[in-house]
Each structure stands twice: as structure tokens, then as C-alpha cells.
Amino acid sequence: MELYYSFSVLIVLASFFAYLNLRYLKLPSTIGIMIIAMISSIVLVVTGNLFPKIFGHFSTLLQDVDFTEVLMGAMLNFLLFAGAIHINLKDLREQRGPVIIFSTVSVIISAFAVGFILFHVAPLLGVEIPFIFCLLFGALISPTDPIAVMGVLKEAKVRKSLETKVAGESLFNDGVAVVIFAVILQLAQGSEIDISFGNISWLLIKEAIGGFLLGTLLGLGSSNAMRKIDDYKVSVLITLSVVMGGYLIAHAMHISGPLTMVAAGIVIGNYGKRTAMSATTKDYLNKFWELIDEILNAILFLFIGFELLIIKNITSYWQIGLISIAIVLFARFISIYIPVKLIPFKNKFSSGTIKVLVWGGLRGGVSIALVLSMDEGPYKPVLVAVTYFVVVFSIIVQGLTVGKVASRVLSQEEI
């Protein structure tokens, strides 16, 4: 009943905030819900002494929910599958070079750039953070968030080739980022781990290739099963079983659940829709997963907005928070600029394309989930606060302006 109670409260709030946004703010749904949740959080903090029961209730509700487990173990799988099922494989194949490089090499460049710069800048603000924790922050903040990116791209109306680059990168970079984060986290927390090149490479290969293979097998198997029937209800149930059962298999095999979902979604969304589904089944399947996407996005961004309630003394970190926003943006720039200039991609990147790729690299719930997964320690509060600053700026400022930036700088360019 506790789980049902908590979920009921979140659904009621998400629907109410979504209504307020659509009725008055008229912002993209996810951003509007998060802003209203943040305003509500601030009001609760300010009036906490007047209404201690309400403030305590919300704080307890949020603290009782394991955000890392809820997002990384449940919501992310549904959201990634829902996004991947709409990806056109032909478009993705045309952009495979940039997508592969940006989701691997760029993540590594950004992680080390953020860690190195933060380590040297933080002491100037009176904040001492060991290099290993600066590097940990770099690892968790470098991957672009597929949920935030794809939610905003729907509203931004950027050109298809650029949308595929950004969406493809965000879908695939989680596997690399999670492995880097896990390795650095174990080092930061004093665990003994083999950090040889061979061991790290094996972890990456197992996570990425294993996830792709499992997802592809699940996608092909479920598509072939759906081809033998013509029932949209059973087809929807099969895709649900792919997401929920596929994650359990990936977790048991210690391979990337997110990449499994992406691969399965792409296979079903292309091969499955083309060979195994009638027009009616495709229509119901698309609408079902669009609805799942909208509902879970609303809950996720509601979570992000209310996270403000459980971050203690966040105002004490405003200086390093603002500096970190600039550091992350600069690291994003060099992580895109260096590969673009050094690697002979089939299609040349204009300066406008680079600007949009940098500004469109949004951070979201994945970064918050990773930082909250750290063990309690002296450096966790500052990293949680700084991550929140970066994520909020990324979603609100970058998310609301990426469409305008794209229109302005790319209006005269071919992408």
C-alpha cells in the first residue's frame, strides 16, 4: 500500500501540474511540470514553519523513494524503449559515425575535462574536492540524458539529421558513462579494483556489445512472434514483456539494461513494424508507447523539481554551482570540437552544427540518479548540489532555447 500511495500522490500531482502548465505557462510539458514542482518546493521550504506537517510529508515521501533504483531500474527502461521504437534505422545508419564517436570518445573527453578543470577551480571558491571526486562528477555529468533530450527535441523542430545525431548520441552513451562512473566510484570509495586497460575495455565491451546483442535477439524474437498473430492487445503485451523481462535478463547477466532497451526498441520499431504488424497494430502500439512516454516523463520531471526539498543547504553552493555550469558547457564544446576536427567524418560539420550539438547536450535525471547512488560521505552534498544546478540550468535554459538557437544559427546552413 505504501508504494501505491506514493505512486498515487505523484500521478495526481503530475496531472495537476501538467494541467496548470498547459492552461497557463504553455511550456513544453516536461519543463513546465519541473518548473511548477520547483516553485512548489520553494514555497514549501519558505512556509515550512507555518505548515510543518505538509513540508515533512513531502520530504519523507521523497526520501522514502529510491530515486536511483526507480529511474535506473524501472523508468529508464520504459523511456528508452519508447524513444527507440520511433527511431528510423535508415536515418540512424546515415549518422552512425557521429553517433558512435559522440557516445563514446566524447563522453570520455568530457569526463576528464570536467574533472581536471573543477579540481583546479573549486579551491579558488574555497571548496576543496579531491581529484577523484572531481573526476566522478565529470563521469556522471558528461552523458547527455536521453529522456531530457528527446522530450525537448519533439518541441524544438530541428532538422532531421541533427535530431538523429543528438537523439542517437543520448540513447547510446549511457553504457559508456555508467561503466566509467562505476569504476571511478569504486576507486573513490576505496574499493580494490583492477583498472588495467584490458579490464576496463572488457567491462565496456561486455556492457555495450552484450546489451546490443541481447536487445537485438529480444527485438527479433518478439517481432517474429507478433508476425504469427494479428492482435494489437497481445502485441502491446509482448513489447511490455520485452522491456520488463529484458531488463531482468540484462541485470542477471550484468550487461547494460539501457542499451538492451535501445537495441530492442530500434529492431521492433523498424523490422517489427515493417514485417510483423498491420496498420491497426502499429497505430495502437505507437499510441500506447507515446502515452507511456508522456506519463513517465511527467513523473520523472516532477521528481527532479521536488528533489530541491531534500538537498540540504543548496544555497551554500550557488557559486560553485554556477561555475560548474560553465565548466560543463566548455567540456561539452571541446568533447564535440576535438573529434569533429580530428576524425574525417563523411559529412563535414559546420560551426552552426557544433553550436547546436553543444547547446542541445542536455543533462537530466540520469545524472541525478548517479550522484544519489553514491555512499554518504563528506563530498556527496556538494556533488549533489552542483549536479542539481547543472541539470536545472540544462533543462530549463538550454531546453527552452535550443530550438531558437538551432533556427538562428542553422537557417543558412545545410546539415
Side-chain angles (χ1 to χ4, degrees):
M1 286 301 293
E2 276 298 318
L3 179 62
Y4 175 77
Y5 174 73
S6 300
F7 190 70
S8 299
V9 171
L10 292 173
I11 285 289
V12 170
L13 288 174
S15 61
F16 180 56
F17 290 176
Y19 172 80
L20 290 178
N21 173 65
L22 197 61
R23 183 78 172 80
Y24 300 106
L25 296 184
K26 303 185 188 303
L27 296 173
S29 179
T30 51
I31 298 177
I33 289 171
M34 191 185 84
I35 290 174
I36 296 173
M38 289 180 63
I39 293 171
S40 302
S41 298
I42 293 170
V43 171
L44 284 171
V45 170
V46 172
T47 61
N49 292 329
L50 298 176
F51 307 101
K53 288 187 177 180
I54 297 177
F55 179 77
H57 172 76
F58 271 100
S59 297
T60 302
L61 175 65
L62 291 170
Q63 288 170 353
D64 287 345
V65 175
D66 188 338
F67 184 79
T68 302
E69 184 60 33
V70 168
L71 177 59
M72 302 298 287
M75 293 176 68
L76 186 61
N77 300 301
F78 285 91
L79 289 164
L80 287 176
F81 183 87
I85 204 171
H86 299 298
I87 291 287
N88 187 298
L89 188 59
K90 181 182 176 183
D91 294 337
L92 186 62
R93 193 180 292 118
E94 290 176 357
Q95 304 298 331
R96 63 183 179 275
V99 168
I100 292 172
I101 295 300
F102 294 158
S103 61
T104 55
V105 176
S106 293
V107 172
I108 295 170
I109 292 174
S110 175
F112 280 90
V114 169
F116 181 81
I117 298 171
L118 181 64
F119 178 68
H120 288 87
V121 170
L124 302 178
L125 302 174
V127 181
E128 295 290 340
I129 307 175
F131 179 71
I132 192 67
F133 283 95
C134 292
L135 197 57
L136 188 66
F137 173 69
L140 67 90
I141 207 66
S142 291
T144 54
D145 189 285
I147 303 161
V149 169
M150 297 184 75
V152 170
L153 284 179
K154 290 178 186 176
E155 310 284 342
K157 297 179 181 178
V158 298
R159 297 179 188 178
K160 192 64 181 178
S161 59
L162 180 57
E163 180 182 343
T164 303
K165 289 186 183 78
V166 179
E169 174 200 357
S170 66
L171 284 170
F172 290 115
N173 62 17
D174 286 306
V176 175
V178 169
V179 171
I180 296 172
F181 175 81
V183 171
I184 298 174
L185 180 62
Q186 290 186 56
L187 290 173
Q189 295 177 346
S191 302
E192 291 186 8
I193 181 174
D194 181 4
I195 58 172
S196 65
F197 177 79
N199 186 55
I200 303 301
S201 299
W202 166 243
L203 285 173
L204 287 171
I205 291 171
K206 186 177 76 169
E207 285 271 337
I209 304 300
F212 279 124
L213 287 176
L214 176 59
T216 301
L217 290 174
L218 289 170
L220 290 173
S222 59
S223 295
N224 289 328
M226 285 185 280
R227 187 167 56 190
K228 300 181 188 306
I229 60 172
D230 185 20
D231 187 289
Y232 70 86
K233 297 183 290 294
V234 177
S235 295
V236 168
L237 281 172
I238 289 173
T239 57
L240 273 174
S241 70
V242 167
V243 175
M244 302 177 80
Y247 170 73
L248 294 177
I249 296 171
H251 184 70
M253 296 175 66
H254 302 288
I255 59 179
S256 175
L259 290 179
T260 299
M261 295 304 107
V262 171
I266 290 174
V267 172
I268 293 173
N270 290 270
Y271 172 75
K273 286 182 179 179
R274 189 178 67 251
T275 65
M277 300 179 197
S278 64
T280 300
T281 299
K282 278 190 280 189
D283 184 52
Y284 273 98
L285 196 67
N286 285 333
K287 288 178 179 177
F288 174 81
W289 282 104
E290 283 176 12
L291 185 60
I292 291 290
D293 188 46
E294 287 296 321
I295 293 172
L296 292 184
N297 261 306
I299 295 173
L300 172 61
F301 283 81
L302 181 77
F303 256 128
I304 294 175
F306 276 131
E307 283 294 314
L308 191 63
L309 286 175
I310 61 174
I311 300 177
K312 297 178 181 179
N313 302 319
I314 191 170
T315 54
S316 304
Y317 303 109
W318 70 269
Q319 288 181 311
I320 192 167
L322 295 179
I323 292 295
S324 295
I325 292 170
I327 292 172
V328 170
L329 283 173
F330 177 72
R332 172 69 178 172
F333 169 73
I334 63 174
S335 73
I336 297 296
Y337 185 82
I338 292 175
V340 163
K341 294 303 178 182
L342 295 182
I343 298 173
F345 290 114
K346 182 179 178 181
N347 297 317
K348 294 293 183 182
F349 284 68
S350 66
S351 60
T353 302
I354 295 174
K355 290 177 184 176
V356 177
L357 286 170
V358 171
W359 198 246
L362 308 186
R363 275 69 179 181
V366 171
S367 294
I368 291 179
L370 290 176
V371 75
L372 290 176
S373 71
M374 295 171 54
D375 290 343
E376 295 299 326
Y379 304 107
K380 183 176 179 177
V382 63
L383 294 186
V384 171
V386 167
T387 301
Y388 196 79
F389 271 100
V390 174
V391 168
V392 168
F393 175 87
S394 176
I395 293 174
I396 296 179
V397 180
Q398 292 175 242
L400 289 177
T401 57
V402 64
K404 295 178 182 178
V405 170
S407 299
R408 186 174 70 250
V409 304
L410 301 176
S411 56
Q412 304 300 321
E413 298 178 1
E414 287 291 326
I415 302 179

